[in-house]
Amino acid sequence: MRVKGAGPLAGPVRLSASAEGLLRELAPQVLGGLVRRYGQFEGCQDAVQEAVLAAAVRWPAEGVPGNPRGWLATVAARRLVDEMRSDRARRVRESAVAAEAAAEAAGADVRVPGDCDDTLVLLFLCCHPVLSAASRTALTLRAVGGLTTAEIARAFLVPEGTMAARISRAKQRIRAAGSTFALPEGADREERLRVVLQVLYLVFNEGYTASSGGALHRADLAGEAIRLTRMVHAQLPEDGEVCGLLALMLLTHARRGVRTCAAGELVPLAEQDRSRWDRGMVAEGMALAKAALAAPALGPYQVQAAIAATHADAATAAETDWVQVHGLYLVLERIAPNPVVTLNRAVALAEVEGPAAGLALLAGLDGDGRLAGHHRLAAVRAHLLERSGEPGAAYGWYREAARGTASVAEQRYLLGRASRVRPGP
């Protein structure tokens, strides 16, 4: 486990996978509790970082304590006391924390702020409306996901200094907005939850299909998105959209092991060996997708989960119920109109009515500026033209699609398809 600001250690930090997972789970809970009481987002985060570092150094030698959350919270609170002692304006708060530390030293059961799980409140804070989408994502991964600034920067292919500045500005904007550490009420809460789910979905998508670079996917980033979505689902188990998003992630991530061949080339869904999908993940995702559809209201993540479940329910690509998939995309277009949804519907429509019908639907997207230069529009058109028996036209669109993506894996795949249909001399 890498911890920001760790400095030189006597030896390498070696935490077991279970201990590292525990730290990732508990750190945002402890941070949420401290922020709830003291309101110092940045100071509390620094204190929790120090506590995590202390655990990374001491737990391998001493063992994980019986109450690891209380241990982290106590150490973090003590670190916060040390900082507060240098600020006279915070003497009242210092006394409160010092009293808790003294009680712990005397053997009392210290109830540090955060005995209730404040992870959801922390997520809502990180997804504050004053922040840009990029800042929300970065702050969520840093404060709730526990990733280091360097890890987040590598994931999104930006310099570490740029990411550090983005996170710092995000904290400053939240502070300037006078935000309180509490769940929003009513319509504001629903809107903020929608933003939280958008951020988690964006993180998952970047992990599942990297937008640039040599790797097709970043399993660690996708896994982190799933972990955080599980946290939200645990606290909002009756919310259909949360349930749907988790189902969608699991059903999609279950394919990760067969999305590339041994040589690292991309393998499209229709050609994947479905017997090698993660069956446990598929089963969990299917159950969640069913539960999501039983919710009283229907949202886009529930419908997307149902589409993923329809694909997962087919033993082979040929057995896919494309009529159902197309119908679900029609529903999705009504409740969340988006050109990418229509693009995906064109693929399903081509399977139901033939490639000409799919191409006709694509024609309506040519004037949509939101898809201008998007490589997937060119790639789908190339695929349907190939199926229509027009290899020459398909060749040009495959090459156009390859020029439009920064993903090396996708480029290789698209150029390979172009070579297959390349017209003769």
Side-chain angles (χ1 to χ4, degrees):
M1 179 174 183
R2 295 176 294 281
V3 185
K4 180 183 176 184
L9 300 174
V13 175
R14 297 187 183 279
L15 279 173
S16 67
S18 60
E20 183 169 348
L22 185 62
L23 280 177
R24 281 195 183 277
E25 177 184 347
L26 295 179
Q29 297 177 24
V30 174
L31 175 58
L34 290 178
V35 174
R36 173 181 291 280
R37 179 157 184 173
Y38 301 108
Q40 306 175 44
F41 190 98
E42 197 155 6
C44 291
Q45 187 180 29
D46 288 342
V48 173
Q49 282 182 262
E50 291 294 325
V52 169
L53 172 59
V57 173
R58 293 174 55 182
W59 288 7
E62 302 174 7
V64 177
N67 180 9
R69 178 173 168 174
W71 191 99
L72 284 171
T74 299
V75 173
R78 285 172 172 167
R79 297 294 192 274
L80 197 56
V81 170
D82 291 340
E83 288 299 317
M84 292 166 68
R85 280 177 178 152
S86 63
D87 188 343
R88 293 183 179 181
R90 295 173 181 169
R91 284 180 177 175
V92 174
R93 295 177 183 174
E94 176 189 347
S95 298
V97 179
E100 290 170 351
E104 189 276 337
D109 180 17
V110 178
R111 298 188 65 78
V112 181
D115 281 340
C116 58
D117 190 347
D118 285 313
T119 302
L120 185 61
V121 187
L122 190 60
L123 263 171
F124 274 51
L125 184 64
C126 291
C127 294
H128 196 284
V130 300
L131 302 180
S132 67
S135 294
R136 291 167 184 161
T137 303
L139 190 57
T140 295
L141 288 174
R142 183 71 194 91
V144 187
L147 275 66
T148 66
T149 304
E151 287 172 328
I152 302 169
R154 281 197 300 273
F156 290 94
L157 301 177
V158 299
E160 183 177 353
T162 300
M163 186 57 70
R166 182 179 299 170
I167 294 171
S168 179
R169 284 195 300 270
K171 294 175 185 176
Q172 291 168 9
R173 294 200 69 183
I174 288 176
R175 185 165 57 247
S179 304
T180 58
F181 193 77
L183 287 173
E185 298 294 333
D188 287 343
R189 177 170 175 170
E190 288 301 312
E191 175 60 21
R192 190 77 67 86
L193 177 59
R194 184 185 65 81
V195 174
V196 167
L197 298 184
Q198 283 179 343
V199 167
L200 296 177
Y201 190 40
L202 183 137
V203 172
F204 177 79
N205 279 338
E206 182 60 30
Y208 186 72
T209 302
S211 58
S212 58
L216 176 64
H217 54 253
R218 300 185 180 100
D220 55 343
L221 203 58
E224 186 60 27
I226 291 172
R227 186 183 73 84
L228 294 178
T229 307
R230 284 191 189 280
M231 283 186 179
V232 180
H233 178 56
Q235 297 194 36
L236 299 173
E238 303 303 319
D239 190 285
E241 278 287 79
V242 176
C243 188
L245 179 57
L246 181 56
L248 174 61
M249 289 181 177
L250 292 171
L251 290 168
T252 305
H253 201 52
R255 313 170 193 159
R256 69 193 184 281
V258 293
R259 292 182 66 227
T260 55
C261 64
E265 300 296 324
L266 186 151
V267 180
L269 177 62
E271 300 173 19
Q272 290 174 11
D273 179 358
R274 299 184 177 210
S275 68
R276 294 176 54 207
W277 286 357
D278 187 319
R279 304 320 302 180
M281 202 170 282
V282 167
E284 183 183 4
M286 294 288 278
L288 286 166
K290 183 177 180 179
L293 288 176
L298 189 65
Y301 295 119
Q302 291 152 281
V303 179
Q304 290 180 76
I307 293 169
T310 304
H311 284 293
D313 199 38
T316 65
E319 297 174 62
T320 302
D321 187 344
W322 284 107
V323 172
Q324 179 167 303
V325 171
H326 181 255
L328 288 167
Y329 273 122
L330 283 171
V331 173
L332 190 57
E333 271 187 325
R334 286 199 296 271
I335 65 176
N338 183 297
V340 175
V341 174
T342 304
L343 180 64
N344 289 326
R345 184 166 76 83
V347 175
L349 181 61
E351 294 291 341
V352 175
E353 298 183 10
L359 286 166
L361 184 56
L362 288 185
L365 295 175
D366 287 335
D368 195 317
R370 291 171 293 178
L371 279 181
H374 199 300
H375 76 282
R376 283 208 61 223
L377 177 57
V380 171
R381 177 170 279 124
H383 171 67
L384 296 184
L385 285 168
E386 181 182 356
R387 287 189 55 198
S388 298
E390 300 182 54
Y395 172 77
W397 284 108
Y398 275 130
R399 290 185 63 82
E400 178 73 18
R403 286 192 292 269
T405 179
S407 167
V408 175
E410 287 187 328
Q411 286 173 358
R412 286 199 302 261
Y413 171 76
L414 291 166
L415 290 174
R417 301 290 297 193
S419 297
R420 235 173 51 170
V421 299
R422 183 173 186 172

